[in-house]
Each structure stands twice: as C-alpha cells, then as structure tokens.
Amino acid sequence: VVDWSRVIFSDETKIELHPRRRQYVRRPQGARYSSKYTTKTVKFSPSIMVWGAIRADGVRTLVKCNGTVDSVEYQRVLTEGLPIVYNTRKLFQQDGATCHTSRSTNDFFVQKNVRLLENWPPQSPDITILENLWDVVKGNVQERQPVNIDEVWQFCVEEWEKIPNDTIKTLYESIPRRVKAVIHARGGNTIY
C-alpha cells in the first residue's frame, strides 16, 4: 500500500446529460407496449469528457476536455490539471490510450520531468480505482437531474469535490487485493 500511495491515478470518462440505463418494469400481461409502461429514449445525449487525477492523500483535480481527446487536447488537459497533483516524488499512471502514448505526449512528459508508471495493462478497469469514483460521480450527478450540459459540468465538479478523502484512501488500500485478484483470474473478470 505504501508503494501504491506514491502513484497518481488518472483517467477520462464521458458524462452524459441523459445516460441510458436499463430499467425493469412490472406490467400486466398483454400491456408490453402500453405507453404507461414505456419510457422515451434519447438516441444521442449531449455529453462532456472529463479527466481526473487523484493522490492517496485525497488531493485531486478535474478538468473538462474540449471535444475529442487527441494528443494535443490531452497535453492541454495535463498542463491545466497535472500541476495540482503531481510532484517528482510521485509516479503518474495513465492507461494505454493512443493520445497517452503518442510521441508528442511522451516528449511532453520528458519536457515536464513527469515520471510515469510504466507498462500499465490496457483495458484494466478492475485495478483502475478511478472507475469506482466515476461511478459515484455519475450517479450523484444524475440524481441531481441536470437540465443542460453546463449543469452536468457544474454538478460533476461539486460531486468530485464531495468525495471523502477516506473513500480515496480505502480505494488505494484495495489495490494489492485487486492486483492479486486479477492475477488469480489470469487477467479475467474479478469482483472489482
């Protein structure tokens, strides 16, 4: 846990104004398509991309991404958010997205003297503790029923800041168990 506490975890996620969620409905037989038992859907919900990073001591940052996250946008986001959480005694974790591993982004890290946690496994939600925080933030934002994309961002910032430091500490403490579970499952699904 002490070793993991030196790692700054980062990740992006998309937060939608009207996320699609499966709903289960009890209805009388033969009433399957009655409007009383159906809900309207939104095919393309307005959304925002956000990038966040956390440290074991609870220090965190959240940055709204502008459009598609390519190498240029990712470096802009890092320029804005990384100084809040990073120092040279830490390692910076990121997944293997193309914008994270591009030559220009690697040059950016060298120029800024950012030490990276190397060889992070791709598509590793079971050990990426930020996934748990994104679930909390998204759920809390939706409970507040934002009416436009500006409110989505406002609520996202507020809910991000409300996450107790103890929650982040507990997630860091779970990392050795997560890694052990992934190894035991040979890279397959785990309870995390």
Side-chain angles (χ1 to χ4, degrees), residues 143-155:
E143 281 181 20
R144 294 176 67 176
Q145 300 180 344
V147 295
N148 58 45
I149 208 68
D150 291 331
E151 276 193 358
V152 170
W153 171 241
Q154 176 188 342
F155 295 167

Side-chain angles (χ1 to χ4, degrees), residues 18-54:
H18 305 290
R20 287 187 253 178
R21 295 198 178 181
R22 182 172 289 202
Q23 293 179 315
Y24 295 94
V25 177
R26 291 185 177 257
R27 63 184 181 276
Q29 194 169 9
R32 183 176 190 161
Y33 299 108
S34 169
S35 61
K36 182 177 179 180
Y37 301 106
T38 61
T39 58
K40 293 182 180 181
T41 60
V42 176
K43 190 166 186 155
F44 299 105
S45 176
S47 63
I48 57 171
M49 284 291 291
V50 298
W51 173 86
I54 58 169

Side-chain angles (χ1 to χ4, degrees), residues 33-101:
Y33 299 108
S34 169
S35 61
K36 182 177 179 180
Y37 301 106
T38 61
T39 58
K40 293 182 180 181
T41 60
V42 176
K43 190 166 186 155
F44 299 105
S45 176
S47 63
I48 57 171
M49 284 291 291
V50 298
W51 173 86
I54 58 169
R55 285 192 335 210
D57 61 3
V59 174
R60 66 198 83 170
T61 185
L62 189 71
V63 178
K64 183 178 176 185
C65 303
N66 297 325
T68 304
V69 181
D70 57 11
S71 296
V72 172
E73 177 59 12
Y74 185 54
Q75 292 165 39
R76 184 201 67 80
V77 165
L78 290 171
T79 300
E80 183 178 336
L82 199 54
I84 297 167
V85 293
Y86 184 76
N87 65 54
T88 56
R89 295 183 311 272
K90 304 287 184 186
L91 291 173
F92 181 69
Q93 175 277 335
Q94 59 182 357
D95 61 30
T98 307
C99 63
H100 299 176
T101 58

